[in-house]
Amino acid sequence: MFTDSQKDIHIEFSEGSGYYDEAVTLEIRGGGENRIYYTLDGSEPGMDGNLYEPGEPIVLEDATGDKNVYSARTDTSTAFLSDLVEKYSSGAEDPGYTVPDHKVDKCHVVRASVFEDGGYCLDTITGVYFVGFQNKSGYDNIYTASIVTDPDNLFDYETGIYVTGSTFENAKEEIFGPDGEGNDSVLENRSWYWWTSNYSNRGGDWEKEAEVTIFDEEKKLVLSENCGIRIQGGGSRGMLPKSIGCYARAEYGGSYKFQTALFEENIYPHKFVFFSGGDDNIFKLKDYLANTMERDLAFSTMDFIPCAVFLDGEYWGIYYITENYNRDYISDHYQVEEDNVIMVKNGELAEGKGKESKLFEGTVAYIAGHDMTLEENYEQACRLIDIDSYIDYYAAQTYIARVGDWPGGNYAAWRTRKNEGTEYGDCRWRWMLFDVNSGALSLDMVEADIFVSIPQSDVVFQSLYRNEEFRVQFAKRLLYIGREIYSEEKCLAFLEDYSRRMREPVAAGSLRFYNDGKREEFDRNVEDIGLFLEKRYDAIWDSLVRNMGEEWLEQNGIRK
């Protein structure tokens, strides 16, 4: 509780961030005799802003009728450059993004700062107010989040992280050639979403300070903290909407970890992600399905929380709040020392020291280079990797017909550096599931024989598969996953819940980026994935018979 003392430099709003059915009459209290300035567009308040006059409150009504500002921009993806996409994009057509032809839903963002006479800022506060949302569609049974940052952090031509910006302009000659006829070496297999832009830039220089506020399904405040934000992902950086990583840092919020246990009790993440769905960015079903259904298997998965996101007050579509794989995640979930974690992602060291990625490369080289039919070699392989984790991971991905960008890419594994003498601190590699949003769970792949495609791009699997003990365990787990993990009852319940919770939120997100709710496409997508899961078990059995032989299966007690 702040006082009105002239010595009190702190300020506060008379009403807290939240949902309000009626207009909000907002006062700013505190600050002593110092002047208070405020903004309503997400920008940081300065002394050239709106001067707050005590006794003249700010009235906040339903803001949806206000003019679209940020959602009206067309520099947020190279896909808006339709002529260039048609001429130069390889392997990907124009996705059909549009600016909204309607007023998007909006919340009020109020930022206020108090300044002493010399111009020094003494205190800054931010509030977000969702007024009149009780009758709006697309927000039931999901979380809501507001990301507030100075608009220049997102949209500035030179430094904005959400736009094509100067980075794209400077790369145009390299991409399209000096004569505009195209640079074949750059454009080959380079779809529009890979074209170099501000949003492709990575690292600390492209992290911006923001305040993130999250409300749960009951619209109760669960998190409100300052943090760093970055654009997240690979090719999906060029798509809409973009995933946004949120980082807790002492310089923003006073701590290396967020103060809210978003996912599990007593687990406070260093980072979480507003995940847009990647290649599945319209329906956002595949990653959610795979991570949820496979969470009880012997590899890492992420929690997914459906969430509507507002960016500087304007509706920005449907996301999932997800965990992020890092040393904190591993330490929290597997009770190992945080500083003892090594993690490799797509062949590169994501956590660890120096050249510790060589440890993973050495494991790959050993297994690929030794005869796994020899018992002593297979036993050594099992000392290097958690074979249960490996088999569960590969069997699950085989079952959902994951192809294309896996297993040659989109993989991750972790181990401890030194043996801690605990269940998971034993220096063996364990696997981690992510990025299941492209080549998987597709009806046209229901008959796919993954036993043929995996060995072609994975020398470890190819070598291990020669070992009979491995083949027996792999076949048994594959069928277990079909019978138990992806049982008809579980799949039906999941898809029914997804349709109930997500149909209208996904429609609202589609309307935002395509001016089309795509409800029929939503229903068809759910139906197609349901048919895939319904038919996949029989196809997997047929694949086992073809590749292992019915007699061998029977001899090893493997039955349909």
Side-chain angles (χ1 to χ4, degrees), residues 197-336:
S197 296
N198 278 19
Y199 47 68
S200 355
N201 293 319
R202 300 169 183 261
D205 289 343
W206 293 87
E207 179 175 308
K208 307 294 183 178
E209 184 174 2
E211 180 161 328
V212 174
T213 307
I214 299 177
F215 303 88
D216 67 14
E217 295 145 323
E218 303 300 322
K219 311 313 176 195
K220 295 179 181 178
L221 181 68
V222 296
L223 181 148
S224 182
E225 297 189 39
N226 282 357
C227 63
I229 60 170
R230 302 184 190 182
I231 302 300
Q232 179 98 2
S236 63
R237 289 167 175 261
M239 300 177 183
L240 292 175
K242 307 180 194 305
S243 295
I244 298 174
C246 300
Y247 299 78
R249 302 200 191 281
E251 59 263 39
Y252 301 136
S255 173
Y256 173 76
K257 294 197 174 187
F258 288 97
Q259 302 304 295
T260 299
L262 274 172
F263 306 103
E264 293 186 32
E265 189 176 356
N266 297 322
I267 292 182
Y268 300 90
H270 162 61
K271 178 186 176 185
F272 64 84
V273 177
F274 289 108
F275 175 61
S276 67
D279 290 340
D280 188 24
N281 65 343
I282 297 179
F283 305 118
K284 310 174 196 296
L285 173 54
K286 292 181 179 182
D287 272 290
Y288 182 31
L289 171 64
N291 278 270
T292 303
M293 302 294 279
E294 297 172 18
R295 64 175 44 166
D296 292 329
L297 295 172
F299 53 85
S300 301
T301 58
M302 301 178 189
D303 278 346
F304 280 60
I305 303 173
C307 181
V309 171
F310 287 71
L311 205 57
D312 275 339
E314 296 194 12
Y315 176 70
W316 218 261
I318 293 300
Y319 287 74
Y320 293 106
I321 307 172
T322 69
E323 297 176 279
N324 182 75
Y325 291 145
N326 52 29
R327 61 181 182 171
D328 305 87
Y329 171 97
I330 294 165
S331 176
D332 289 336
H333 286 269
Y334 296 100
Q335 291 76 54
V336 298

Side-chain angles (χ1 to χ4, degrees), residues 86-106:
E86 182 179 356
K87 185 174 182 180
Y88 295 117
S89 181
S90 172
E93 299 177 351
D94 184 340
Y97 299 146
T98 62
V99 296
D101 61 4
H102 58 284
K103 299 288 182 65
V104 301
D105 287 339
K106 300 177 185 72

Side-chain angles (χ1 to χ4, degrees), residues 167-211:
T167 305
F168 175 70
E169 290 301 316
N170 294 336
K172 284 173 85 172
E173 182 172 320
E174 178 189 357
I175 298 173
F176 307 124
D179 55 3
E181 291 303 315
N183 185 335
D184 291 341
S185 64
V186 173
L187 286 171
E188 184 179 4
N189 299 320
R190 298 300 277 180
S191 302
W192 53 266
Y193 46 80
W194 283 109
W195 294 350
T196 304
S197 296
N198 278 19
Y199 47 68
S200 355
N201 293 319
R202 300 169 183 261
D205 289 343
W206 293 87
E207 179 175 308
K208 307 294 183 178
E209 184 174 2
E211 180 161 328

Side-chain angles (χ1 to χ4, degrees), residues 429-448:
W429 291 102
R430 292 175 169 86
W431 270 257
M432 315 179 84
L433 178 69
F434 73 97
D435 210 349
V436 192
N437 48 70
S438 51
L441 294 162
S442 176
L443 185 57
D444 60 359
M445 293 295 293
V446 72
E447 300 289 341

